[in-house]
Amino acid sequence: MNEKFAELGAPRRIWAVAAIHGEIDRLSTLHDHLASRFGVRDRLVYMGNYLGVESRNNTALFDEILAFRAALLCKTGMEPSDIIYLRGPAEEAWQRLLRLQFAPVPLQTLEKLLASGVEAYLRLYGVSINDTKSMARAGSMAITRWTNQLRALQRAAPGHEALICGMRRAALAQAAPDQEKLLFVPAGFDPSRSLEDQGDALWWTSATFQVSGRAQNFYSRIVRGFDSVNTGADLQEAAVTLDGGCGRGGPLMCGCFTPAGKLIEVIAVGGQGVLESAPFEREVANDFFAAESKVALGKPEPLREFGYQVSA
């Protein structure tokens, strides 16, 4: 696998999970639903921003993600490369915080990282925000010792080091070598640049999210999992926003795509364990929340055969 970008090949289906923002109950409900449907030659792509700044269940959320990964890998024919984790703005901010000693103005950099959600990772590892701000005012040697301590906290948490270090910037699928690619990104994309030259545009950009210019020659669709201005999901165009506002009052959303870029199903998980799943049809895309196939999920039995433990 490419160290920056995950190549998904030409799978049967790709399930893409939007920004979660610490909503563990909604994530576990989605996992319950996917457990009995996810099959060989499917792919699962989490699109970043896993933790919530205000959440008190961030450790449990990572445990949920790791447990579901283990459960899926128990299924015959599944491979570790079938499950992909993208680095959202919060995860990118955490990686940059671990290199804060190299920032020209550490305190100013820290403020930008906090605005991107890095506080969720500090809370995850029990690190004080006030202590962090004080450390940012120290010299580079003191900051280096401190960031080494942060790395040690990450390593000490079971499964966290492999999960976080294994996150990719983007993921691509392609139905056939001569066809356009389907691209999954965390939060943004600059259509005037190649994927390799995106830089910060994958996480922070003021440009309109769209597929235009040179990007039209390469991508059938570009899908993002987080919208920083929280305008809601947009499923109509070649540039798809799956963020329904999870963690900010909206549902956790998951889209099912073919490698050619066709959106074939939309899943939304709201409050009280209510899951709505509907085949996607362009003319009724805005009405999928009112789909007839509404299911109030409890703790379904199919998970047990894979040894998956549902979060309390």
Side-chain angles (χ1 to χ4, degrees), residues 177-234:
D178 59 342
Q179 293 187 5
E180 297 168 329
K181 295 182 178 181
L182 170 63
L183 176 64
F184 298 92
V185 298
F189 186 84
D190 184 346
S192 67
R193 305 185 205 170
S194 68
L195 179 59
E196 292 75 13
D197 295 331
Q198 286 296 305
D200 287 353
L202 292 173
W203 302 289
W204 306 290
T205 180
S206 58
T208 302
F209 184 63
Q210 60 183 347
V211 181
S212 61
R214 61 185 294 175
Q216 290 177 309
N217 299 323
F218 295 100
Y219 306 111
S220 58
R221 240 173 180 170
I222 301 178
V223 184
R224 68 173 174 176
F226 173 63
D227 175 14
S228 62
V229 296
N230 198 25
T231 55
D234 183 357

Side-chain angles (χ1 to χ4, degrees), residues 71-185:
L72 289 183
L73 291 178
C74 289
K75 301 178 91 169
T76 302
M78 289 291 299
E79 299 289 342
S81 58
D82 294 338
I83 307 169
I84 303 298
Y85 306 94
L86 299 189
R87 211 161 68 214
E91 289 72 45
E92 178 63 18
W94 172 244
Q95 292 301 307
R96 297 192 185 198
L97 183 64
L98 297 179
R99 303 189 300 272
L100 187 63
Q101 63 267 28
F102 301 114
V105 187
L107 186 59
Q108 181 178 339
T109 298
L110 175 61
E111 293 298 333
K112 293 180 179 179
L113 301 181
L114 288 171
S116 297
V118 79
E119 183 178 347
Y121 281 85
L122 293 171
R123 288 179 180 272
L124 175 67
Y125 298 119
V127 180
S128 164
I129 301 298
N130 290 333
D131 289 349
T132 301
K133 290 182 178 180
S134 296
M135 188 56 62
R137 298 185 180 95
S140 60
M141 292 298 294
I143 296 176
T144 299
R145 288 193 295 270
W146 178 74
T147 55
N148 286 338
Q149 293 174 2
L150 295 183
R151 293 177 187 274
L153 290 172
Q154 178 177 285
R155 287 193 299 269
H160 287 206
E161 180 87 352
L163 175 63
I164 295 173
C165 293
M167 292 177 182
R168 299 293 183 259
R169 298 184 182 186
L172 303 103
Q174 191 172 25
D178 59 342
Q179 293 187 5
E180 297 168 329
K181 295 182 178 181
L182 170 63
L183 176 64
F184 298 92
V185 298

Side-chain angles (χ1 to χ4, degrees), residues 274-295:
V274 175
L275 180 145
E276 300 179 13
S277 176
F280 180 79
E281 296 179 5
R282 184 172 294 273
E283 61 270 18
V284 296
N286 294 326
D287 298 326
F288 75 88
F289 285 107
E292 292 181 355
S293 56
K294 183 182 292 185
V295 183

